[in-house]
Amino acid sequence: MFRTIDSLRQNKLITYKEKNNGTCIVSITRAGKKKVKEWDLEHMIIKKPVQWDKRWRIVTFDIREDKKKARDALRRMLKRLGFYRLQRSVFVHPYSCRPEIEFLCSLYDLPERDVLYFSTDRIPNELFLKKYFKI
């Protein structure tokens, strides 16, 4: 256990201080919090409701070139979550997913103004998208 704690400390994921009475106080660092969020990505899914509400969720983004890595990571995650890519920076999904998008924006440190999430009841190529999503 001490090797694990020391490894986390050396990787700057936690800090710990020993008190005079021999107990230790362990704190997670900012880098550690980010790592925890990254680990959650492996299990992230968008839950399919029993019945579709007939609304399309659109995610569109305009992320500066100096945030290219974050932009590419967001694009990869949207694909992994099952979004359909309408255009290079426009993705669509039939199910509610605002918390997931907000989580990704937080993880990749993307400002709200750079990533837009909205829903609509009409979308071009709707028949194709219904077939694609099997709804």
Side-chain angles (χ1 to χ4, degrees):
M1 180 169 151
F2 290 111
R3 272 193 273 173
T4 302
I5 290 173
D6 196 49
S7 173
L8 291 170
R9 185 187 58 78
Q10 286 178 359
N11 288 315
K12 298 182 179 167
L13 300 176
I14 64 164
T15 60
Y16 69 88
K17 293 180 184 177
E18 192 170 338
K19 293 175 86 175
N20 291 338
N21 64 4
T23 61
C24 272
I25 297 176
V26 179
S27 301
I28 189 165
T29 64
R30 186 175 182 174
K33 288 177 184 177
K34 188 169 184 174
K35 194 65 160 173
V36 168
K37 287 181 181 181
E38 288 173 5
W39 290 331
D40 285 348
L41 287 180
E42 297 173 18
H43 302 102
M44 183 185 282
I45 60 167
I46 295 173
K47 293 182 182 176
K48 182 179 179 179
V50 176
Q51 187 173 355
W52 181 45
D53 64 1
K54 298 182 180 174
R55 295 199 58 82
W56 297 100
R57 279 57 181 200
I58 311 292
V59 175
T60 183
F61 50 91
D62 186 12
I63 300 169
R64 300 183 325 258
E65 190 61 28
D66 65 329
K67 290 237 179 203
K68 183 180 192 296
K69 287 183 182 182
R71 183 181 64 215
D72 292 344
L74 176 63
R75 191 176 282 128
R76 281 191 305 275
M77 271 307 295
L78 292 174
K79 288 178 187 176
R80 192 181 87 51
L81 288 170
F83 279 78
Y84 181 80
R85 184 171 151 186
L86 289 175
Q87 293 181 353
R88 187 147 177 84
S89 297
V90 180
F91 290 77
V92 64
H93 202 281
Y95 308 123
S96 181
C97 52
R98 182 180 296 277
E100 291 83 355
I101 300 306
E102 288 174 352
F103 172 80
L104 292 172
C105 289
S106 170
L107 176 66
Y108 300 132
D109 196 27
L110 296 170
E112 260 184 54
R113 69 180 182 275
D114 290 356
V115 180
L116 301 177
Y117 172 92
F118 57 94
S119 67
T120 183
D121 58 354
R122 290 183 162 192
I123 192 166
N125 300 322
E126 187 168 359
L127 288 177
F128 169 79
L129 290 169
K130 283 182 176 181
K131 287 179 186 177
Y132 179 83
F133 287 108
K134 299 177 181 146
I135 51 176

